[in-house]
Each structure stands twice: as C-alpha cells, then as structure tokens.
C-alpha cells in the first residue's frame, strides 16, 4: 500500500477530474459577467444572476446530502456534471441575446449541480483512500481549490477576453465532459466495492432531519458548526464588503485588494499542505485547528494596526493558511467519525453552515458601515469575534480531539443505519 492518497488510483482519477473542473468553475462566472455587463442595468443583472446560485445552494444543499446517502455517489456526481453541462450548452445556444430570466435559470441550475456534487464528493473520499491518509487526501483537494482561486480568475478573464464568452463556454462544457469520464474511471477502480445504499423507507424529509439530529448529538461537531455560522455572519460576510472599502482608501484601490485576496488563497495552499503533512503529530488536533482559525482573526485585526500592503499581504497569507488548516482537519474528522450512511447529509449541513450567514453578513456590513475608517473598526470587531468564538468550542467535550480517542460514540440510530446500509469503515475498502 502506498504512503499517500495518489498511490490509490481511484483517488487519482477523482482528483484529476477536479483539476479539470477548476477550469470550468472559473470560466462560467467570467463568461456570465461578460454577458451581463452588456445589458442595461448591468449591476442589477449581475445581482439577479449570482443571487440565483445562492438560492439554489440554500434550497437544495440538504437535498443533495440526502441523495448522496441514498444513491450511488459516483452516479450522482456524474448526474450533477450532466445537469451543469446541459446548462452551459443552453447558454451557448441562447448566446448574447439570452433574456435575464434565462441567465438566472441557468445559474440556478449550476448552483443545483454544485449542491448535488459537493456532499457526494466529500463523502466518497473515505471509500477511495485508507483512513490514515484522509488528511492528505483532503489537503490535496483543498490545495487544488486554492490554486484555482489564485490563478483561475485571471486566466478565465484572459480567455474570455481573447476568444469571447461563447467560445469560453465551449471550453467550460468540455471540462464537465472530462470530469464525467474521470468519474467513470473511479467507478471502474472501485469495482465491486461500489455498494449503493439499501432501500429506504423513510421520506427524504425524515432523512434530512436524521442528519441534523446526528450533528446536534455529536456535540463537538455541533460546536464547530455553530462557530462557523457565527464567523460567516460577523466576519467572513462583512469581509467581502469591508476590505474593498479599506483597499480603495489605503491600499491603492483594486490592485491592493487583488493582492490581499491572492495572498489569502496562496496561504491556504500552504495551510492545507501543512495539515496533510503534520496531522500524525497532533494528539489534540482540535486545539491546533482552533488555534489556526485564530490566524484569520489576526488578518481581520491587521487593518487597525497597519496600512503597509506588504505586511497586510503577509498577514492575510497567514489567515488563509489558518482557515485551510482548520478545514482539512475538520473534514477528515467528519469522514473518520460520522457513520458512513450519514456522511452526505452531514457534509451538506457543513457546507450550509459555511455560507448560510453570508448574504446577511454582507448586508449588515453594507447597512452599518460608511467609509474606510468605520470599515477598519468593523474589521477589528470581526477579528475579536473570531478570537472569542474560536475559544468557546473548547468548553465542549471532544472538541480538542475532534471526536478522537475517548470521545463519545456516534449516535446509536446513525450507527445502526450505517451498519446495515454501507460499505466497511474508512480504509478497509480503499481502492489499491
């Protein structure tokens, strides 16, 4: 057995498919922006179009989690790719004359496909690699996403400018086709180990409630999800509104803002890599994860102590590293300790917690803050919120170990469901 996740062919194919999909993830919004900016009331058009994606995520992410636990995960992910491919082809067919409502519908379909794909992806990883390399596998995935955030927008913008939005969408369509082919290869590698869930007699609503119940009863996980909601509402959401105001006043405008964002994403690559490489050294990974998330609080506070762009870039790189370090350890703990039959729903709830407060946080910042100085003060408050709420989960049992040795066992009903309907635990069915 190889030492790392890439020694397992199933994971190699899965990761390779995501490498290609990152291209499409960046191309689609750039092409849509190019189409929307040519209209009257372009700002309104962009708001409607990108708001449609959030609506799809908010409405369907829990459905995606239930489906991930009910169905064959690879077929579900391929179905997601097909839905998004069809949406892109529809936009190509409509071209520049597409009515606003069709742009909104197509973006809604893209968000719906994302809602289906993401819980299935996170919950299939434990079937592809042994338990001892889960952190490395999740680190590789997170690093890929951060690389996409660093180079993707610029590359997508250049491609759209060079060949036009319609031709760029053809490239986007091709990425979804390639992603589906890689999923077929994953399925071939898994072979007989692909065991779809058994027949379910409960309604989808009842199964969604069961997933919520598991998160609530696993108190360490509930504490972390509650913290995530607070961070998004009072720090992450406002961050996207406040930092551009500060950058315009003190950092040279959009260029300074771009440097800060790129530094955050670049730091995330390093943070994810560190979590994957160092995870065996952590006897109490929850302590390290919460300490790392505190680095995001440092980044928020930085504006109140300096206007030096190089120093801010360095501090935001640390903040991005902390966020991704935390995310890799938490994702791996969920994959390791949540019953396999419930992983899709739990990951859907985890994803929901990461964005549910975003629009409210952005709106709150927009309503309360006027000018750069108020934005600096608001960012300092956000940093304080991050620090305090990163300490509070430690009062909950098993947070320090992220459900590790000595933790309470998973809920009995979830464990019973897992035993009857899913493949063996992580590591026993990894594709060699």
């Amino acid at each position: 057995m190889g030492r790392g996740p890439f020694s397992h062919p199933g994971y190699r194919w899965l990761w390779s498919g995501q490498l290609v999909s990152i291209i499409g993830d960046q191309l689609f919004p750039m092409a849509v922006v190019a189409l929307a900016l040519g209209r009257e009331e372009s700002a309104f058009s962009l708001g409607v179009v990108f708001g449609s994606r959030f609506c799809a995520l908010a409405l369907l992410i829990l459905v995606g989690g239930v489906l991930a636990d009910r169905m064959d995960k690879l077929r579900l992910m391929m179905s997601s790719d097909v839905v998004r491919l069809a949406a892109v082809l529809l936009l190509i067919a409509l071209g520049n004359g597409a009515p606003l409502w069709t742009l909104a519908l197509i973006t809604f379909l893209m968000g719906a496909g994302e809602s289906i794909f993401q819980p299935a992806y996170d919950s299939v990883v434990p079937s592809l690699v042994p338990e001892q390399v889960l952190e490395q596998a999740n680190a590789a995935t997170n690093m890929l996403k951060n690389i996409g955030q660093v180079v993707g927008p610029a590359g997508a913008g250049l491609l759209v400018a060079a060949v036009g939005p319609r031709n760029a969408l053809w490239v986007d369509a091709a990425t979804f086709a390639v992603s589906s082919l890689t999923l077929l290869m994953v399925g071939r590698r898994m072979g007989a180990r692909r065991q779809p869930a058994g027949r379910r007699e409960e309604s989808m609503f009842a199964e969604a409630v069961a997933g919520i119940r598991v998160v609530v009863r696993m108190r360490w996980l509930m504490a972390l999800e509650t913290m995530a909601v607070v961070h998004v509402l009072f720090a992450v959401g406002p961050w996207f509104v406040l930092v551009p105001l500060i950058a315009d006043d003190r950092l040279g405008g959009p260029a300074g803002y771009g440097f800060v964002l790129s530094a955050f994403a670049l730091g995330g690559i390093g943070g994810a890599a560190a979590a994957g490489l160092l995870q065996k050294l952590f006897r109490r990974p929850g302590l390290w994860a919460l300490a790392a998330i505190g680095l995001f609080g440092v980044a928020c506070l930085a504006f109140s102590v300096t206007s030096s762009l190089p120093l801010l870039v360095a501090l935001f790189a640390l903040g991005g590293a902390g966020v991704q370090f935390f995310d890799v350890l938490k994702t791996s703990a969920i994959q390791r300790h949540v019953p396999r039959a419930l992983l899709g729903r739990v990951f859907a709830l985890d994803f929901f917690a990461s964005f549910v407060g975003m629009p409210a946080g952005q709106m709150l910042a927009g309503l309360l803050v006027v000018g750069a100085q108020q934005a600096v003060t608001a960012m300092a408050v956000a940093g304080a919120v991050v620090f305090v709420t990163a300490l509070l989960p430690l009062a909950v049992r098993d947070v320090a170990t992220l459900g590790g040795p000595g933790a309470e066992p998973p809920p009995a009903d979830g464990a019973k469901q897992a035993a009857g309907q899913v493949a063996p635990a992580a590591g026993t069915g990894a594709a060699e």
Side-chain angles (χ1 to χ4, degrees), residues 215-238:
V215 173
V216 171
R217 292 177 61 181
M218 297 181 75
R219 291 182 292 176
W220 66 270
L221 183 55
M222 183 64 186
L224 295 181
E225 300 299 0
T226 302
M227 182 190 75
V229 172
V230 173
H231 283 187
V232 170
L233 178 60
F234 293 107
V236 180

Side-chain angles (χ1 to χ4, degrees), residues 4-86:
F6 291 105
S7 64
H8 303 278
Y11 181 79
R12 275 205 309 271
W13 280 108
L14 184 70
W15 189 90
S16 299
Q18 289 312 288
L19 176 62
V20 175
S21 291
I22 288 292
I23 300 171
D25 291 342
Q26 301 298 333
L27 280 175
F28 180 79
M30 285 295 177
V32 170
V33 165
L35 293 173
L37 288 179
R39 302 168 177 271
E40 295 181 1
E41 301 182 349
S42 57
F44 173 76
S45 298
L46 286 172
V48 169
V49 169
F50 289 113
S52 299
R53 172 183 175 270
F54 173 78
C55 288
L57 290 171
L59 291 173
L60 299 176
I61 187 64
L62 294 182
V63 174
V66 172
L67 292 177
D69 290 333
R70 278 184 169 225
M71 300 173 61
D72 181 287
K73 294 175 178 59
L74 295 177
R75 290 180 181 174
L76 194 62
M77 286 189 280
M78 283 188 279
S79 299
S80 167
D81 282 341
V82 169
V83 168
R84 289 181 285 180
L85 173 61

Side-chain angles (χ1 to χ4, degrees), residues 52 76 78 97 126 131 166 177 184 190 195 241 260 270-271 385 388 400 412:
S52 299
L76 194 62
M78 283 188 279
E131 181 179 344
R166 193 167 185 271
L184 284 173
M190 290 183 71
Q195 297 184 21
V241 175
V260 167
V385 168
V388 172

